[in-house]
Amino acid sequence: MGSRASTLLREEEIEEIKKETGFSHSQITRLYSRFTSLDKGENGTLSREDFQRIPELAINPLGDRIINAFFPEGEDQVNFRGFMRTLAHFRPIEDNEKNKNAAASEPLNSRTNKLLCLTDDGWCKHFRRTAWQHC
């Protein structure tokens, strides 16, 4: 699997994902290897069923909500780029101010984007109302 992961992910794709998500080169290649091992259909996408095969998610009471975070409304497949964008929301918040570029969009792991990711399906509306007061 490791050689398959390294050959299908081009260096320029890794660089784009690094810029977009903040993950390191090694994190991206490791996550790509995991992504391809979960991709049982070998079509470059993951389905809800692929996620449900992960034992930790299958037994997690919030497993369905975590899985749903990877799928935009009406979608039933997620590609590697979408997978990485969703995972980026859960990265620790770093000091984004020192790297802040006025023209750049807010990082995916910002407090605001984490809250938006959590509340897209409406399951944390109360949290959103109270959390905004503390941001």
Side-chain angles (χ1 to χ4, degrees):
M1 275 302 158
S3 62
R4 176 183 169 202
S6 61
T7 58
L8 295 180
L9 195 60
R10 296 186 323 259
E11 200 61 40
E12 60 264 14
E13 289 175 298
I14 293 173
E15 288 305 313
E16 290 171 7
I17 293 169
K18 274 175 61 174
K19 289 177 188 171
E20 188 175 8
T21 65
F23 283 112
S24 70
H25 189 283
S26 64
Q27 289 171 321
I28 294 167
T29 55
R30 197 169 45 245
L31 286 166
Y32 187 73
S33 178
R34 179 67 171 146
F35 180 89
T36 57
S37 71
L38 291 171
D39 178 14
K40 297 302 180 194
E42 295 186 0
N43 59 2
T45 63
L46 297 179
S47 67
R48 291 176 195 279
E49 292 77 24
D50 291 327
F51 281 98
Q52 289 166 343
R53 285 190 198 93
I54 301 170
E56 295 82 1
L57 283 177
I59 63 169
N60 188 322
L62 298 175
D64 287 338
R65 290 183 177 164
I66 294 168
I67 292 168
N68 287 341
F70 286 90
F71 298 93
E73 183 94 19
E75 297 290 324
D76 61 351
Q77 300 285 314
V78 63
N79 62 19
F80 183 66
R81 197 71 164 258
F83 176 76
M84 292 301 294
R85 285 184 54 81
T86 301
L87 290 177
H89 289 290
F90 300 102
R91 286 183 55 245
I93 297 172
E94 298 168 352
D95 183 11
N96 295 318
E97 291 304 312
K98 65 184 174 189
N99 298 329
K100 194 76 165 179
N101 175 349
S105 61
E106 195 164 343
L108 291 173
N109 70 325
S110 71
R111 283 181 177 86
T112 302
N113 279 329
K114 284 181 187 227
L115 289 172
L116 290 172
C117 177
L118 288 173
T119 58
D120 273 349
D121 67 355
W123 63 276
C124 276
K125 287 182 183 175
H126 173 72
F127 174 74
R128 177 175 51 192
R129 280 194 299 271
T130 57
W132 279 112
Q133 297 167 2
H134 303 291
C135 287

